[in-house]
Each structure stands twice: as C-alpha cells, then as structure tokens.
Amino acid sequence: MVKHVDHFHGSDLEKIEQVYGIKKEEITSFSANVNPLGVSFKLKNTLAHKIDAITSYPDREYTALRKAIAAYVHTDFSNIIVGNGSTELISLFIQIQKPKKALMVGPTYSEYEREVGLCGGRSHYYSLNEEKDFELDLEELKTELQSDVDLLIICNPNNPTSSVITRKEMRKILDICKQHGIYVMVDETYVEFATTMEEITSVPLTDYYNNLIILRGTSKFFAAPGLRLGYAVCGNDDLIKEIGKRQNPWSISSLAAIAGEIMFSDEDYMKQTKDLINTERDRIVARLSEISDLKVFPPHANFVLVKILRDDITSNDLFDATIRKGLMIRDCSTFPFLDNHYFRFCFMSPEKNDELVDTIVNVLKN
C-alpha cells in the first residue's frame, strides 16, 4: 500500500490561515479544482425562494431530482442513485463489493484506497507512465488485470494528471474485466470540463455492461462542494437495490434536492463554464509551455499537472511562494508515483491565472 502524508488540501483554508497568517477570504484556491464562476445566478436567484422546503421531508425516492439528472446525462432515471456527495456512494459501493484486491490507475485520488482499506481489502496501483504524458497503455493494463483482481478503479479525467481514457478504450477495458469477473468503478467528477466530453463519458456503456458504476457530483463543475450532492449511474438493478438498502434515508436535504433540479437544467451556466475553461486552458498551457524550467502535461480537465525541471526548486518551495501571494496551488508530492517536483493547479479567472503564472515565473528566475 502506498503511504500518504499530511498535506494541505484545497479545503484546508483554515489551516493555511493559521500557518501563514493569511485570511482565508483573501486566498484564491487553485487547489480545489472548483468552477471559478461560482454558483450559477439562476440557482442563487431561485433557491432563496424555496426555503420553506426545509419544513418537510424530501421525497424519499428523490424522483424529481433523479429525473433531472437522468435528462442531463441522457439515461433512464431508474439508473440514477443520489447520495450525500460522491464520497458516500464510493463508500457504499465498496462496502457492498468488499474487494479483496482493488487495482487503481494512478497516481490518483487517495479516497479510493482509504475506502478499500476500511473494508479489509488491499490496494494495488497500475502506474501511468510519465514518458507517455500519463496516458493509459491498454496493453500494459491488460497484464495487470489478473484473476485475483476483483475491482478496477479509474478516475476519468484523472486527478492529478488531467489525462483521459476514451469511451472506445473504456469498452475494451470493460470487456477484459467482464471476462475476469472484475467490477469497474469510474469516477467522472471532472468529465464535464473536457472539450471532448461526448467521446470520454462512459454513461452510454451502462446500457450494455452490468459490471460498471459511474460516479459524479456537483462539487467541481457546479461549484457547490458544500451542497454535498453526488450521484451514480449504473445499469445493474441488483446493485442499485443493494445500495438503496444500505443507504440512510433522506441522505440529501430538501434544499440540496431542489438545487440539483435547478443546476442540471441551467444550460447557460454550463456553456459559460465550458467556454471559460476551454479558453483559459489553451491560453495558460501556451504560456507555461514557453517556460523552459517546466514540463506541462496535456490537460483535459479544468486543471493541469506541471513538473519543475530544476533540482534546486521543489513543489513545496513553489507552494510557499505562491501562498504568500494569496494563491494556493497543490503540491503533488503526496500522490503515488509523484515526487516533490510536481504541482497542480486549476484554471480560474483570466486575471488570477495570469497572476499565478507571473508568480511562478518570478520564482523560477531567482
């Protein structure tokens, strides 16, 4: 098992405040990977008028919310499971599967490994290759998918590499896993940010594979991490029923359910988000690529992974320099297979993005 050490997370603004003496309100978090537009105007304008909803219990089946999500992802609402953030659904799914040996495509999000460990399982990693820009090598992965693996976990687009697996490739992976009796959990938290989302999302495959569950949420794309609203898409009726049995009733508040119905129909907000991220991703990557001391890995999500090519400057040095300017990046040295020369940041407003890049350039000049 890969060891993880304490580290500042995108939500650790209070800790940052204590350590650096910077008010959290003055910190721009490039680490949290949250939509820089913030909550949509439509949601802000509408939800306040729905406050009376908290005087009654929400629909236990969350039918209206599930139908709104189903329309958004283009599937039947019976395939939708909602939860208190995607973390609840990850936990419930792993509790049910009880994998003895889980294979994860990494470096990736550490919560998967934690949940597998809590259920008594062992976690192993298939390591993405830096020389291939962290793109998946399907033939290499095949050799790792042995009969003793019972769960494959993939984050797509992957955090922190921002690399992707196409749906065509995912179908091949699912065919191999089906042969070996391996279940596949795909975390699509960042898929809405991808330019080629229609070629990446595995949601259409849930109609054909019963060994597949897809997880998504509203924390990143819809800028609502505090709402704690997540959902899963799955075509396996037995698994859906089993999750329903284990899940606490009313795990989502009335207001969160209403907020979801509003968000998933806000097409203007979605377009504005995609336009901003697509423009800034191309622009900032072009700026970074001109810096000889950095290696930029091609990003597909709303964040980019970068490697410092100098021995005398570490990712922690860069974190320290940027946070003192009120700009918080992610030191990636705690991710499996990455050392203290990798950092990650998400794309914010054009002005803030330029401020961050200018700060990075100044650090590298010294």
Side-chain angles (χ1 to χ4, degrees):
M1 180 178 291
V2 178
K3 299 294 184 183
H4 300 277
V5 298
D6 291 337
H7 202 274
F8 289 119
H9 182 268
S11 63
D12 293 338
L13 298 184
E14 286 81 5
K15 292 181 182 178
I16 294 287
E17 190 175 48
Q18 293 172 8
V19 173
Y20 286 92
I22 303 171
K23 292 182 179 180
K24 62 182 180 181
E25 293 81 10
E26 298 175 358
I27 298 172
T28 300
S29 181
F30 286 85
S31 175
N33 296 342
V34 173
N35 186 338
L37 292 181
V39 177
S40 78
F41 174 78
K42 181 178 180 181
L43 180 60
K44 288 181 182 179
N45 192 45
T46 307
L47 192 60
H49 301 292
K50 304 286 186 179
I51 190 66
D52 286 344
I54 65 174
T55 63
S56 59
Y57 285 98
D59 166 24
R60 189 165 181 146
E61 300 298 322
Y62 296 100
T63 304
L65 173 61
R66 289 166 56 224
K67 285 185 176 180
I69 296 171
Y72 174 64
V73 301
H74 308 295
T75 191
D76 190 273
F77 86 99
S78 63
N79 295 336
I80 303 295
I81 315 160
V82 293
N84 191 257
S86 60
T87 51
E88 182 197 22
L89 298 173
I90 291 171
S91 180
L92 287 169
F93 169 70
I94 291 177
Q95 286 173 28
I96 291 167
Q97 291 300 116
K98 291 185 176 64
K100 294 180 180 178
K101 181 178 179 181
L103 181 66
M104 302 173 198
V105 176
T108 196
Y109 182 49
S110 63
E111 186 65 22
Y112 313 135
E113 182 179 327
R114 175 181 173 275
E115 290 293 342
V116 170
L118 289 173
C119 290
R122 294 178 294 122
S123 296
H124 295 257
Y125 280 89
Y126 161 75
S127 176
L128 295 170
N129 194 324
E130 178 185 331
E131 283 67 38
K132 297 177 182 178
D133 288 334
F134 296 107
E135 298 291 338
L136 180 75
D137 186 316
L138 188 56
E139 293 303 314
E140 287 183 359
L141 179 63
K142 280 183 182 180
T143 64
E144 299 290 333
L145 294 172
Q146 305 299 325
S147 57
D148 61 337
V149 173
D150 43 16
L151 175 63
L152 173 64
I153 300 175
I154 298 173
C155 185
N156 193 37
N158 187 43
N159 177 19
T161 62
S162 207
S163 53
V164 296
I165 300 169
T166 66
R167 185 160 66 249
K168 184 177 180 181
E169 293 172 317
M170 193 69 75
R171 184 183 282 272
K172 294 177 181 178
I173 292 170
L174 285 162
D175 285 337
I176 296 166
C177 289
K178 190 74 173 175
Q179 294 173 11
H180 292 285
I182 301 170
Y183 217 103
V184 181
M185 184 180 84
V186 180
D187 185 344
E188 289 192 349
T189 294
Y190 299 102
V191 75
E192 289 113 320
F193 291 110
T195 306
T196 56
M197 174 184 168
E198 292 75 14
E199 298 173 11
I200 298 169
T201 179
S202 295
V203 169
L205 300 181
T206 57
D207 290 334
Y208 308 100
Y209 294 89
N210 65 357
N211 63 326
L212 170 66
I213 186 169
I214 298 167
L215 299 162
R216 288 195 191 175
T218 57
S219 295
K220 307 302 183 180
F221 187 78
F222 291 99
L227 195 64
R228 306 313 306 137
L229 174 58
Y231 62 97
V233 186
C234 182
N236 187 321
D237 292 338
D238 291 336
L239 177 59
I240 291 174
K241 290 176 182 176
E242 188 60 32
I243 290 176
K245 288 178 184 178
R246 290 173 176 260
Q247 191 173 33
N248 291 326
W250 304 298
S251 61
I252 301 171
S253 72
S254 300
L255 283 180
I258 293 170
E261 295 174 42
I262 298 168
M263 287 190 296
F264 292 116
S265 63
D266 194 346
E267 295 184 3
D268 288 342
Y269 175 81
M270 296 175 201
K271 184 180 185 305
Q272 289 172 18
T273 297
K274 290 175 182 290
D275 288 346
L276 173 63
I277 296 302
N278 290 342
T279 300
E280 286 304 293
R281 179 169 48 219
D282 291 345
R283 190 178 71 85
I284 295 304
V285 166
R287 280 202 65 187
L288 292 171
S289 299
E290 295 174 351
I291 304 172
S292 60
D293 289 332
L294 299 177
K295 179 177 180 179
V296 184
F297 298 96
H300 295 272
N302 64 323
F303 55 86
V304 61
L305 180 68
V306 185
K307 183 179 183 180
I308 303 167
L309 301 179
R310 284 172 51 176
D311 293 334
D312 60 330
I313 298 177
T314 68
S315 51
N316 185 64
D317 294 331
L318 198 58
F319 176 90
D320 187 77
T322 55
I323 196 62
R324 293 182 187 280
K325 297 284 187 178
L327 310 171
M328 181 180 177
I329 63 171
R330 177 64 191 268
D331 174 355
C332 290
S333 59
T334 56
F335 281 95
F337 315 115
L338 300 183
D339 61 25
N340 63 352
H341 283 81
Y342 295 84
F343 66 96
R344 185 203 72 200
F345 68 89
C346 65
F347 306 109
M348 304 294 283
S349 69
E351 297 77 18
K352 283 296 180 181
N353 291 336
D354 283 333
E355 185 181 351
L356 176 64
V357 175
D358 290 343
T359 303
I360 292 171
V361 170
N362 288 333
V363 172
L364 294 173
K365 282 181 180 178
N366 296 330

mmCIF file of all heavy atoms in Angstrom, residues 109 139 155 225 238 266 318:
data_model
loop_
_atom_site.group_PDB
_atom_site.id
_atom_site.type_symbol
_atom_site.label_atom_id
_atom_site.label_comp_id
_atom_site.label_asym_id
_atom_site.label_seq_id
_atom_site.Cartn_x
_atom_site.Cartn_y
_atom_site.Cartn_z
ATOM 1 N N TYR A 109 -6.613 9.979 -6.864
ATOM 2 C CA TYR A 109 -7.270 10.411 -5.632
ATOM 3 C C TYR A 109 -7.152 9.344 -4.541
ATOM 4 O O TYR A 109 -7.432 8.170 -4.782
ATOM 5 C CB TYR A 109 -8.727 10.671 -5.983
ATOM 6 C CG TYR A 109 -9.649 11.171 -4.905
ATOM 7 C CD1 TYR A 109 -9.301 12.234 -4.092
ATOM 8 C CD2 TYR A 109 -10.906 10.595 -4.742
ATOM 9 C CE1 TYR A 109 -10.185 12.711 -3.131
ATOM 10 C CE2 TYR A 109 -11.802 11.064 -3.787
ATOM 11 C CZ TYR A 109 -11.430 12.119 -2.984
ATOM 12 O OH TYR A 109 -12.304 12.583 -2.035
ATOM 13 N N GLU A 139 -2.491 -2.150 -23.388
ATOM 14 C CA GLU A 139 -1.826 -3.457 -23.380
ATOM 15 C C GLU A 139 -1.131 -3.707 -22.045
ATOM 16 O O GLU A 139 -1.140 -4.827 -21.527
ATOM 17 C CB GLU A 139 -0.822 -3.550 -24.542
ATOM 18 C CG GLU A 139 -1.460 -3.550 -25.915
ATOM 19 C CD GLU A 139 -2.477 -4.679 -26.085
ATOM 20 O OE1 GLU A 139 -2.160 -5.831 -25.696
ATOM 21 O OE2 GLU A 139 -3.579 -4.415 -26.592
ATOM 22 N N CYS A 155 -10.269 7.048 -12.403
ATOM 23 C CA CYS A 155 -10.744 8.434 -12.364
ATOM 24 C C CYS A 155 -10.554 8.991 -13.776
ATOM 25 O O CYS A 155 -9.442 8.981 -14.301
ATOM 26 C CB CYS A 155 -9.948 9.244 -11.348
ATOM 27 S SG CYS A 155 -10.532 10.939 -11.098
ATOM 28 N N PRO A 225 -19.413 22.438 -3.579
ATOM 29 C CA PRO A 225 -18.922 21.358 -2.697
ATOM 30 C C PRO A 225 -19.661 21.283 -1.370
ATOM 31 O O PRO A 225 -19.801 20.210 -0.793
ATOM 32 C CB PRO A 225 -17.442 21.706 -2.504
ATOM 33 C CG PRO A 225 -17.330 23.163 -2.818
ATOM 34 C CD PRO A 225 -18.353 23.427 -3.868
ATOM 35 N N ASP A 238 -29.642 -4.963 -9.511
ATOM 36 C CA ASP A 238 -29.382 -5.595 -8.207
ATOM 37 C C ASP A 238 -28.461 -4.720 -7.351
ATOM 38 O O ASP A 238 -28.668 -4.588 -6.139
ATOM 39 C CB ASP A 238 -28.742 -6.979 -8.411
ATOM 40 C CG ASP A 238 -29.717 -7.976 -9.012
ATOM 41 O OD1 ASP A 238 -30.940 -7.774 -8.855
ATOM 42 O OD2 ASP A 238 -29.257 -8.947 -9.639
ATOM 43 N N ASP A 266 -29.580 24.264 -16.049
ATOM 44 C CA ASP A 266 -29.053 25.606 -16.305
ATOM 45 C C ASP A 266 -28.057 25.568 -17.465
ATOM 46 O O ASP A 266 -26.830 25.576 -17.273
ATOM 47 C CB ASP A 266 -28.393 26.154 -15.035
ATOM 48 C CG ASP A 266 -28.132 27.644 -15.118
ATOM 49 O OD1 ASP A 266 -28.209 28.195 -16.234
ATOM 50 O OD2 ASP A 266 -27.858 28.262 -14.073
ATOM 51 N N LEU A 318 7.548 26.208 -4.299
ATOM 52 C CA LEU A 318 6.609 26.950 -5.138
ATOM 53 C C LEU A 318 5.294 27.194 -4.404
ATOM 54 O O LEU A 318 4.716 28.285 -4.490
ATOM 55 C CB LEU A 318 6.351 26.179 -6.439
ATOM 56 C CG LEU A 318 5.743 26.982 -7.586
ATOM 57 C CD1 LEU A 318 6.610 28.171 -7.954
ATOM 58 C CD2 LEU A 318 5.540 26.078 -8.800
#
